Amino acid sequence: MFDPFEPSAQIESLLTAVASRPAASAGMRAMMQRESEFPSPLQAKLTGIALDPNGREFADQVLDAYWSDEPRQQEALSSSSTDREVIIGSGFHAAVYAAVRVLCGCPKPLVLERNERAGGTFAMTARPTFYLNSRNRGGSAGLAGDQRASLNYLPGAPIQAANVSMLEYQTNTDMAFIIRLALAQFADVVTNAKVRSVLRDGTGVEIQIDDRDPLFAGRVIDARGLGDPTDQDVANGTTILTFPQFMQRMATMWPLLGLRRVAVVGGGDAAKCAVESFLGIAPQPFMAAAALDSVDLVDWYSDQLPTTCEGWQQDIRGRYQAIGRYLRPDRLGVRRLTVLGRRAQPVALPGMGLIDGRTYDLVVLCTGNRETDIDGLDFGSFDEYAIAGGNVVARQHYYNLPAFRVGPHARLPFTAQEREDGVADISANAVSMFRTASKTAALAATLPAVTRD
């Protein structure tokens, strides 16, 4: 059985690298003064690194360098065989599955990430650009409304999100760091590995990856999250951006430079985060100041949202209440934010975006996500998978492919119990971490080991 307090070779290498840099190791050294408050020295050291901005930045660089090393990638790919599991995607649910699987005594899975940076949606930027939905508090897994539960809990992780800050709502990079540490402890990760197809090969599968030799595995866990932006074909990358593109812009220097009139299209959580960035109530952008980088007017196109401050206060969850006050005009009758109760389709013009006759310096599209197809893993080939007791925790390929979909990628409907508990009262909870993490953990804890036979 894997010792959860024994650092993996990658984590050990990370600790050594941080310790060798005085400027990066100050937090780690300081936290060792409170070592007795932690279950292990490992958790104390990782918490110290996470709480120290210099330590965390350097640790992230060490992790990225390790995972992008080509000889190490080739070694990880060549060592895979039909007695090993492969996870597609490196986000929250990949980390949950890997951690629980290894803690249950199974070999480390191999994680394939198509992008340069591991960590999934939360790791789309190295700088903090948006806040999480759930409040930051200690505790273990549980449901919304349970004040003793941590809704950002990652089962099996070396440290939890509550270890890395005291913010009421944590940033995306806080969660990303927890995910990345879990992957470093419990998985082998290969970045820049875009999967094209998954086909049956004897008792296992053959995985085709762009610009690499075929990879063989005994089981595939498809943990690709919510998918890619629905309107990514409409975005031009300059005046019309998808949510990920906009967040990447917000992580650069002076991201709001030259923006006076902007628009956001969509009414979900991503759209709310985009509006927070324009209003200056998101995490502080790099080198930005109110005197230089304030947006004068934000038009928000959505037929799902209240258009008044009073309606916002009544209908919108607490996490986003700060937005509502910008819907109230000032004493001169002017307001920066206007919700236009309709959908919209922008058109890219030279140097601007156009919506219904209005021009904007920038338009951000937050209109949902769609799945990018991988041959052999289409959604229609999967059916609900239940563990003992009848609890549905994932989707299983119902032909002859040893493959499962987990997390938001499984698209599991609310259960009768979840409706009774009130989880289904907010539709966005369908893909929330507090709902899906325990399902992925249960799958990892109960699946039989993969063998060559």
Side-chain angles (χ1 to χ4, degrees):
M1 185 71 72
F2 184 89
D3 182 355
F5 301 139
E6 184 69 27
S8 67
Q10 186 181 356
I11 291 290
E12 190 65 60
S13 174
L14 172 69
L15 296 174
T16 300
V18 171
S20 68
R21 295 282 190 96
S25 61
M28 183 173 69
R29 294 196 307 271
M31 193 55 66
M32 293 311 291
Q33 299 176 38
R34 301 178 64 177
E35 178 185 346
S36 62
E37 300 176 49
F38 292 85
S40 73
L42 172 63
Q43 290 168 307
K45 291 177 181 179
L46 293 178
T47 297
I49 294 172
L51 287 171
D52 179 2
N54 292 330
R56 192 195 298 194
E57 181 181 7
F58 179 67
D60 267 332
Q61 294 170 358
V62 172
L63 292 174
D64 286 334
Y66 183 92
W67 285 325
S68 64
D69 181 69
E70 184 62 28
R72 190 207 59 79
Q73 288 187 349
Q74 290 296 337
E75 180 181 356
L77 292 169
S78 62
S79 65
S80 185
S81 64
T82 54
D83 61 353
R84 193 178 195 187
E85 294 176 299
V86 168
I87 304 174
I88 304 175
S90 68
F92 179 82
H93 287 274
V96 171
Y97 187 88
V100 174
R101 201 73 176 145
V102 173
L103 291 173
C104 287
C106 296
K108 285 185 179 181
L110 175 63
V111 172
L112 302 178
E113 169 54 51
R114 65 178 179 176
N115 296 315
E116 293 183 359
R117 196 161 192 266
T121 297
F122 297 113
M124 67 170 65
T125 59
R127 292 182 180 274
T129 53
F130 64 91
Y131 293 113
L132 306 189
N133 275 337
S134 301
R135 284 185 171 86
N136 176 23
R137 54 177 176 251
S140 58
L143 299 179
D146 183 353
Q147 298 300 313
R148 298 164 298 179
S150 171
L151 303 190
N152 301 321
Y153 185 81
L154 198 163
I159 59 174
Q160 295 298 328
N163 287 68
V164 305
S165 82
M166 286 193 66
L167 291 174
E168 180 182 15
Y169 293 98
Q170 294 176 281
T171 66
N172 60 300
T173 51
D174 287 342
M175 194 71 240
F177 194 62
I178 299 306
I179 292 169
R180 287 156 61 83
L181 288 179
L183 292 173
Q185 177 74 347
F186 297 113
D188 293 323
V189 178
V190 174
T191 55
N192 292 309
K194 187 174 183 178
V195 176
R196 285 296 183 187
S197 66
V198 178
L199 307 172
R200 184 76 185 194
D201 182 78
T203 59
V205 297
E206 177 183 316
I207 303 172
Q208 296 286 341
I209 306 173
D210 278 359
D211 303 321
R212 296 186 184 273
D213 293 333
L215 178 69
F216 298 93
R219 180 184 291 140
V220 168
I221 304 298
D222 194 349
R224 286 179 289 152
L226 293 171
D228 297 313
T230 300
D231 287 334
Q232 59 185 359
D233 297 334
V234 178
N236 63 0
T238 54
T239 58
I240 302 178
L241 304 180
T242 63
F243 177 71
Q245 288 172 337
F246 178 58
M247 289 296 105
Q248 287 159 8
R249 173 178 175 140
M250 290 303 300
T252 63
M253 184 183 293
W254 302 321
L256 301 178
L257 177 65
L259 301 183
R260 291 295 175 258
R261 184 185 178 105
V262 301
V264 175
V265 180
D269 290 345
K272 296 182 181 75
C273 289
V275 168
E276 287 179 330
S277 293
F278 284 133
L279 296 176
I281 54 176
Q284 167 70 30
F286 182 52
M287 296 294 290
L292 301 172
D293 303 298
S294 290
V295 175
D296 295 332
L297 183 137
V298 182
D299 282 347
W300 194 351
Y301 291 87
S302 172
D303 58 0
Q304 307 169 4
L305 298 172
T307 59
T308 66
C309 179
E310 293 73 17
W312 191 274
Q313 291 174 338
Q314 181 177 348
D315 296 342
I316 302 300
R317 66 166 71 177
R319 158 69 179 85
Y320 298 105
Q321 278 298 309
I323 295 174
R325 66 176 179 267
Y326 292 91
L327 292 172
R328 180 182 291 120
D330 63 17
R331 292 183 179 182
L332 299 179
V334 177
R335 61 181 181 180
R336 293 176 64 194
L337 175 64
T338 302
V339 175
L340 303 168
R342 62 183 185 273
R343 299 183 182 184
Q345 182 79 1
V347 176
L349 299 180
M352 65 187 70
L354 176 68
I355 299 178
D356 297 343
R358 294 181 173 91
T359 57
Y360 298 97
D361 299 316
L362 184 67
V363 178
V364 182
L365 297 172
C366 305
T367 50
N369 299 279
R370 68 186 184 192
E371 183 173 324
T372 299
D373 292 336
I374 291 179
D375 188 27
L377 296 180
D378 57 289
F379 182 77
S381 298
F382 288 77
D383 205 353
E384 293 181 0
Y385 176 82
I387 59 175
N391 294 320
V392 175
V393 297
R395 288 189 184 271
Q396 180 182 24
H397 202 282
Y398 61 72
Y399 292 126
N400 62 348
L401 203 64
F404 293 82
R405 282 175 171 243
V406 299
H409 200 57
R411 303 186 215 170
L412 297 178
F414 289 114
T415 65
Q417 185 62 54
E418 287 171 332
R419 295 185 185 281
E420 182 179 335
D421 291 338
V423 174
D425 292 348
I426 300 176
S427 60
N429 284 345
V431 296
S432 64
M433 292 186 296
F434 76 81
R435 175 183 183 246
T436 52
S438 60
K439 298 179 188 295
T440 300
L443 178 74
T446 55
L447 280 179
V450 174
T451 63
R452 292 180 183 271
D453 297 330

